[in-house]
Amino acid sequence: MVKQIKKRHSMESKGDQLFHYGVIALMTLFAILILYPLWFMVIASVSNPDAVLNGEVWLWPDTIDFSGYAKIFADPQIWTGYKNTILYTLVGTTLNIILTIPAGYALSRPNLPYRKYIMWFFIITMFFGGGLIPFYFLISNLGMIDSFWVLIIPQGLSVWNMFMVKAYYESNISIELIEAAQVDGASQFRTFWSVILPISKPIIAVMILFYAVGRWNSYFDAMVFIRSEELYPLQIVLRNILIVNDNASGGITGEDIYERLRLANQIKYGVIIVSSLPIILIYPLVQRFFKEGFLVGSFK
Amino acid sequence: MKKWFGLLTIALVSLALVACGQKPSGPTKTLDELGYNPNGLPIVQEVVEYTIISPKNALAINYNDMDIFKKMFEDTNVKIKWNNLSEETFSTTKQMIIQDTRNLPDAMYHAGFSDRDIIQYSAAGTIIALDQYLDNMPNFKKILEERPDIQKVITAPDGHIYALPRVEEMGLLQHPNILFINKDWVNLLSSQNLISLNGQALRVSIEGGNLEDTSTESNIQLKPLVITVNDQVVNGFTLAQYEAILRAMKNNASLLTSANLIPLTFRFGGWQGNQSDLYGAFGVPENIDHLTVVNDQVTFTAALDKYKQATNFFAGWIEEGLIEKDVLTQGEFDLLAKGKGSNPRLGSFYWWEKETVIKPEWQSQYVALPPLIGPDGKQNIGVSNNQEISKGNFVVFSKAQNPEILLTWIDRFYDPVISAQINYGPIGIAYEEELNPDGLLIQKPIPDGMTADELRLKNAPMGVIYLSYEQWENTLVMEYRARLRLALLDVYIKPYIMEGVRQYPNVSFNLSEMNTINRYGTDIYSYVYQSTTGWLLNGGVTDSEWNAYVSKLNQMKLNDMIRAYQSAYDRYE
């Protein structure tokens, strides 16, 4: 590989070579710009928080100290939050897929009755929303405040994602394929289940990724609707640890603010690593589908 | 095709209407049937249940599990179903919870009702007036009789009381700043003749100021502080002398510490440790609201000519690096961390107390200083507007059945012994079971691995209490650090409060005053903040800039805003 590059270099003109090195230098700079914050997070998570705050840590950790991580792993709330987030993500994403893929497929078929009206029905929700207050009253009257399902059901379907699925099917599934299935005697459901689904892996993978990342990172609905600590997702637990300046219910004195902020600063970086690791790990697994299908499918 | 949609719409609408029409209501028992007794225990013979919604601190355990509330249920037979939410959820959804009238709880604790909330929701009939039930609240009634000032504070413009207050009078909040200095550094610099003023060496010494060796937990004694300048005992430093000291610290940093030395730091506009006392040296009765009462006149300090002088003067200090630029941007944690590096960094600082800022091993190096002597030769400071009586802590919604029972229950919170437990934690956890020789509640030693605040936040709900000045003599022992700070305030702060200056009291605004203040206040305050910080960073303000600033403030209806504050104040007086 290196040899090849060298060989190619020798055939290039001086100007080309210069350009080449310029590009490499520029890209290295960009890579550093992107990698440095990640690196900083890693070293800050094992350093003394006072040193981090006084600007004494910037390239190498001043000590290797895992007490921040020890605190993270010893905190039962973080574990409950972790468990809950995994549950919300698994159950929620499953529901999303069950709703989005069939809906997208159905809307992609020109012979769907009332297709135009159904489309408008969905599109309207993309431009107009009731706002938070009516939404709160709705949820409250459905009796879903402070329940597990409030984080699952109202976010069941993203119209944007559904249209992406629809576009995928419109451009990737030929009418002949469906006709062939029907000639063989398959019903609509059978066609979808046995013919369409097996060739939908790329779009399903992409949808799983989109929904799962969204679910993993979401906090606002949980903040508004979840009250019991046993139901907190990880993001809310982290917010409660990191954001300590709000004290409507009383009397934190300076020392405690300092202790809590110190704790927050000590575990902040570790917590960011711990909480984003699962999502970072998913990317390589689904990346090949991105290359294969997703872009080809919807934006051809 | 269209018919279908029509039918569907009708079906949905009628479904919604049917759902709205239902309202559960059971038969209500009368007070007599329940065996209600407002003046003794239990309050009711039969268990009565209420739902109260309340935010809680992230460190606190669920209120349903708190010992103090369990004990109160045993005593009263009033069962409270606490519905706790986090502070963030509460502040985001409070208005929605109140407006969601079909699913209202019976009451709200830690309600944080503003004057506007009270006017709005009492007019809408969502919350009920509590003054009609005073006979059901013996403790509260007694407080109002003894303290007409509290009654004045909590009475709404229509003459009713809609919300219960929290009263915690320690005399600390009015003065959130004390100036501390590293006396070892000052003495060292002076001994090497490194402090110079107008080209001449200045001999300075700071002795005493810390605790006496005989000082004990229960009897705090401070060593008298002796400051000498050129061998003469003085009451404090003048601005010029103090500036010379800061400059010497800055120029000889490597002699004093290996860390990056900061001569003076504070938090501009912070609620504790702010710039107010520096402005005070110029005779500005400053606080962070720029609003104070001088001889019964509401005064806006940021438009005074002395405010300009002070800003110009301290802009010079910032330019020279005597005050670090961070004062404008740093958070509390940033400042607190600066006192705790591997070596001391702070030459002097303003804060609530030094214990929070400085590492324990360096405590003895730092002492409090009296206010700086201004150009007129006087030591002056203003008073902050922090209030010890906070309104709007507990409201009862109109759907509560037999509110008398609930109010008699909450009235117990005003019993001094229960107030102490609500505020600091229950007897047996925070307080010793036995009273001390003076008959006061005394705090238990803190369990290992916990800070005092952690213990308190975990076990004490806080909120509705009445701990007035007399309670510290009759009911419970004040925390050590609070008493220590009071001792410091007595020496270094209270004697220097400007004559005729008092804090803007906790008045009740009427609707038109509130509208005026809201309409103009935001713009005025952000303009003042932008201008002042800009001048401080850029070396000061010229006379023409200042005149433009003052006339702009007048255009922004500063006078209307002050008039609104004044009329509310006059009504209060």
Side-chain angles (χ1 to χ4, degrees):
Chain A
M1 179 89 165
V2 179
K3 242 184 194 169
Q4 270 179 355
I5 290 173
K6 271 192 182 153
K7 209 167 156 194
R8 210 171 59 222
H9 276 196
S10 61
M11 294 192 304
E12 286 167 347
S13 74
K14 259 234 162 93
D16 279 353
Q17 271 184 37
L18 232 99
F19 174 75
H20 213 91
Y21 287 122
V23 167
I24 288 177
L26 204 65
M27 288 301 142
T28 317
L29 189 75
F30 282 141
I32 290 173
L33 280 182
I34 292 166
L35 286 177
Y36 178 70
L38 296 176
W39 170 242
F40 181 76
M41 219 126 72
V42 175
I43 58 171
S45 72
V46 295
S47 296
N48 177 346
D50 287 333
V52 175
L53 230 106
N54 279 318
E56 292 163 22
V57 172
W58 65 281
L59 192 55
W60 300 110
D62 70 328
T63 49
I64 302 284
D65 170 14
F66 288 101
S67 62
Y69 286 96
K71 283 199 179 106
I72 295 170
F73 290 113
D75 187 338
Q77 275 223 35
I78 291 183
W79 285 116
T80 321
Y82 223 114
K83 187 200 79 193
N84 286 336
T85 295
I86 291 173
L87 264 179
Y88 290 133
T89 306
L90 279 182
V91 178
T93 309
T94 311
L95 179 75
N96 290 141
I97 298 299
I98 291 175
L99 292 177
T100 309
I101 301 290
Y105 170 70
L107 282 178
S108 76
R109 305 294 3 120
N111 54 343
L112 176 76
Y114 308 119
R115 181 169 178 248
K116 204 172 129 200
Y117 294 98
I118 298 176
M119 288 277 283
W120 275 110
F121 182 71
F122 280 116
I123 288 171
I124 284 171
T125 67
M126 294 174 76
F127 295 99
F128 305 99
L132 181 59
I133 295 172
F135 185 47
Y136 181 89
F137 292 164
L138 174 69
I139 297 290
S140 167
N141 287 334
L142 291 172
M144 285 209 290
I145 296 239
D146 201 22
S147 81
F148 178 82
W149 297 104
V150 74
L151 297 188
I152 305 290
I153 293 173
Q155 309 299 336
L157 181 97
S158 145
V159 176
W160 180 254
N161 285 352
M162 188 190 69
F163 281 127
M164 218 183 282
V165 174
K166 171 178 169 281
Y168 174 85
Y169 283 131
E170 274 172 351
S171 54
N172 278 5
I173 309 270
S174 59
I175 186 78
E176 290 81 4
L177 190 65
I178 295 168
E179 279 169 359
Q182 278 165 356
V183 168
D184 285 345
S187 66
Q188 294 282 358
F189 286 108
R190 181 70 194 262
T191 312
F192 177 69
W193 188 256
S194 307
V195 179
I196 305 300
L197 268 192
I199 54 170
S200 312
K201 272 185 211 144
I203 192 68
I204 294 179
V206 167
M207 284 300 120
I208 288 180
L209 185 73
F210 280 12
Y211 277 121
V213 171
R215 296 246 179 211
W216 189 273
N217 291 330
S218 76
Y219 75 91
F220 188 77
D221 279 7
M223 187 186 79
V224 173
F225 297 118
I226 296 293
R227 292 173 183 177
S228 317
E229 281 165 7
E230 311 85 70
L231 288 175
Y232 278 171
L234 186 59
Q235 308 298 342
I236 297 289
V237 176
L238 300 188
R239 271 179 85 87
N240 283 348
I241 295 174
L242 299 184
I243 302 176
V244 281
N245 41 21
D246 188 9
N247 60 58
S249 49
I252 299 188
T253 57
E255 201 159 352
D256 195 65
I257 290 179
Y258 180 74
E259 278 309 316
R260 290 186 65 191
L261 285 170
R262 196 183 132 93
L263 175 71
N265 268 288
Q266 189 179 16
I267 67 175
K268 174 163 69 185
Y269 300 103
V271 144
I272 292 170
I273 292 172
V274 168
S275 70
S276 38
L277 212 58
I279 288 299
I280 293 175
L281 289 181
I282 293 186
Y283 267 98
L285 294 179
V286 276
Q287 202 202 12
R288 66 192 174 99
F289 292 113
F290 271 91
K291 269 190 273 174
E292 278 173 23
F294 160 61
L295 294 172
V296 185
S298 47
F299 301 116
K300 191 160 64 180
Chain B
M1 197 160 78
K2 278 187 180 159
K3 225 170 162 187
W4 263 70
F5 271 91
L7 279 175
L8 200 71
T9 319
I10 290 169
L12 280 176
V13 169
S14 51
L15 201 75
L17 285 176
V18 169
C20 287
Q22 292 168 345
K23 202 166 192 181
S25 64
T28 322
K29 289 193 171 171
T30 64
L31 291 174
D32 284 344
E33 281 171 333
L34 292 165
Y36 170 65
N37 171 14
N39 294 311
L41 293 174
I43 295 173
V44 279
Q45 296 299 328
E46 199 177 310
V47 173
V48 183
E49 188 174 298
Y50 290 98
T51 307
I52 302 182
I53 198 163
S54 166
K56 81 169 184 66
N57 191 287
L59 290 185
I61 55 176
N62 194 301
Y63 286 5
N64 290 307
D65 301 328
M66 276 191 176
D67 280 6
I68 177 76
F69 290 137
K70 285 188 195 158
K71 178 82 179 15
M72 282 184 77
F73 168 57
E74 283 165 22
D75 291 345
T76 61
N77 264 349
V78 179
K79 184 163 180 55
I80 303 296
K81 210 175 134 238
W82 288 99
N83 197 340
N84 276 142
L85 8 71
S86 75
E87 281 158 5
E88 197 182 15
T89 304
F90 181 75
S91 59
T92 319
T93 58
K94 179 173 138 191
Q95 302 296 338
M96 294 186 268
I97 292 169
I98 302 166
Q99 285 165 25
D100 183 14
T101 40
R102 289 168 57 204
N103 302 304
L104 268 182
D106 294 310
M108 188 179 269
Y109 194 78
H110 285 307
F113 262 49
S114 64
D115 287 355
R116 175 174 291 274
D117 290 335
I118 286 177
I119 291 178
Q120 182 183 346
Y121 292 118
S122 64
T126 315
I127 55 174
I128 59 172
L130 306 180
D131 44 339
Q132 51 185 323
Y133 299 109
L134 275 185
D135 288 333
N136 305 96
M137 298 192 277
N139 291 321
F140 186 54
K141 190 177 178 186
K142 200 168 129 239
I143 293 170
L144 294 188
E145 279 162 5
E146 284 170 7
R147 296 285 303 268
D149 59 317
I150 293 180
Q151 175 151 21
K152 242 180 344 191
V153 166
I154 61 174
T155 304
D158 66 357
H160 288 293
I161 294 170
Y162 291 99
L164 296 182
R166 168 192 172 84
V167 180
E168 187 186 24
E169 293 175 320
M170 299 171 105
L172 292 170
L173 279 177
Q174 295 86 336
H175 314 289
N177 311 317
I178 300 179
L179 174 60
F180 293 95
I181 195 164
N182 189 320
K183 67 170 179 175
D184 288 7
W185 288 0
V186 176
N187 293 338
L188 178 67
L189 289 169
S190 175
S191 70
Q192 305 203 4
N193 286 328
L194 292 169
I195 306 174
S196 72
L197 181 58
N198 302 329
Q200 295 192 337
L202 194 68
R203 286 191 310 285
V204 177
S205 82
I206 305 176
E207 299 302 333
N210 282 314
L211 289 175
E212 289 276 12
D213 300 333
T214 53
S215 175
T216 59
E217 168 88 35
S218 55
N219 183 15
I220 295 172
Q221 292 170 306
L222 294 172
K223 272 187 200 153
L225 180 78
V226 182
I227 305 174
T228 65
V229 175
N230 289 338
D231 304 323
Q232 301 237 314
V233 175
V234 293
N235 291 329
F237 293 118
T238 64
L239 283 166
Q241 290 161 352
Y242 184 63
E243 179 181 314
I245 293 170
L246 294 183
R247 189 175 293 126
M249 284 182 184
K250 183 175 155 46
N251 293 340
N252 303 288
S254 54
L255 175 76
L256 303 171
T257 174
S258 58
N260 192 359
L261 185 142
I262 301 165
L264 172 61
T265 193
F266 51 86
R267 276 190 74 214
F268 186 89
W271 86 264
Q272 57 178 332
N274 53 50
Q275 76 281 11
S276 302
D277 291 1
L278 284 177
Y279 278 78
F282 279 82
V284 185
E286 178 71 324
N287 56 42
I288 51 170
D289 306 321
H290 309 300
L291 194 81
T292 196
V293 179
V294 185
N295 298 325
D296 288 333
Q297 288 298 310
V298 176
T299 306
F300 191 74
T301 56
L304 300 174
D305 217 41
K306 289 171 183 166
Y307 185 87
K308 177 186 75 173
Q309 283 176 31
T311 305
N312 272 334
F313 185 81
F314 295 117
W317 284 14
I318 291 184
E319 204 167 33
E320 208 189 318
L322 303 182
I323 299 175
E324 60 165 348
K325 283 203 171 96
D326 277 11
V327 294
L328 298 174
T329 52
Q330 65 185 344
E332 293 203 338
F333 185 76
D334 302 316
L335 191 149
L336 294 173
K338 283 172 184 159
K340 300 186 181 65
S342 31
N343 288 293
R345 285 180 77 184
L346 299 178
S348 59
F349 59 93
Y350 280 101
W351 202 248
W352 181 262
E353 54 183 0
K354 66 177 176 177
E355 285 79 2
T356 332
V357 182
I358 299 296
K359 265 191 182 175
E361 52 265 42
W362 305 328
Q363 288 292 335
S364 62
Q365 298 179 19
Y366 289 84
V367 291
L369 283 184
L372 301 171
I373 301 171
D376 57 355
K378 287 186 190 148
Q379 288 166 288
N380 279 322
I381 52 168
V383 186
S384 92
N385 292 332
N386 298 330
Q387 302 294 339
E388 296 191 313
I389 303 169
S390 77
K391 310 182 258 191
N393 268 279
F394 182 81
V395 291
V396 178
F397 296 117
S398 50
K399 69 158 277 201
Q401 291 173 341
N402 295 328
E404 293 88 349
I405 299 174
L406 183 60
L407 288 167
T408 308
W409 175 83
I410 190 84
D411 182 60
R412 289 178 56 73
F413 285 45
Y414 287 126
D415 179 298
V417 176
I418 293 184
S419 278
Q421 297 181 68
I422 294 285
N423 208 33
Y424 293 102
I427 292 173
I429 293 179
Y431 286 105
E432 300 282 5
E433 317 259 352
E434 285 167 24
L435 302 178
N436 79 351
D438 299 331
L440 305 181
L441 285 170
I442 184 146
Q443 253 138 0
K444 267 188 144 173
I446 295 149
D448 284 344
M450 254 186 154
T451 65
D453 284 321
E454 240 175 290
L455 183 76
R456 175 179 177 188
L457 289 171
K458 189 170 166 218
N459 295 297
M462 295 182 252
V464 176
I465 58 161
Y466 179 71
L467 293 174
S468 67
Y469 288 114
E470 67 201 66
Q471 253 61 269
W472 308 112
E473 279 148 34
N474 300 331
T475 314
L476 72 163
V477 176
M478 200 188 273
E479 293 162 295
Y480 173 72
R481 289 264 290 279
R483 279 180 286 131
L484 176 62
R485 185 159 195 273
L486 275 181
L488 288 176
L489 292 182
D490 281 340
V491 180
Y492 299 107
I493 299 292
K494 287 184 183 163
Y496 303 104
I497 296 168
M498 279 176 79
E499 213 174 314
V501 170
R502 57 176 292 197
Q503 69 173 186
Y504 188 80
N506 206 343
V507 303
S508 283
F509 296 104
N510 65 30
L511 204 55
S512 84
E513 289 157 1
M514 224 182 298
N515 286 336
T516 310
I517 291 167
N518 285 349
R519 180 154 14 124
Y520 305 130
T522 323
D523 288 348
I524 289 175
Y525 277 112
S526 76
Y527 180 60
V528 168
Y529 178 81
Q530 276 173 17
S531 310
T532 308
T533 51
W535 295 330
L536 285 172
L537 275 181
N538 299 318
V541 47
T542 63
D543 284 350
S544 67
E545 278 172 335
W546 176 260
N547 292 337
Y549 162 82
V550 173
S551 67
K552 180 93 184 281
L553 281 180
N554 287 331
Q555 269 173 35
M556 296 169 103
K557 304 277 168 84
L558 174 65
N559 289 327
D560 287 19
M561 185 177 89
I562 299 301
R563 256 198 299 279
Y565 276 110
Q566 183 75 49
S567 71
Y569 177 81
D570 291 343
R571 187 157 16 95
Y572 171 88
E573 282 304 308

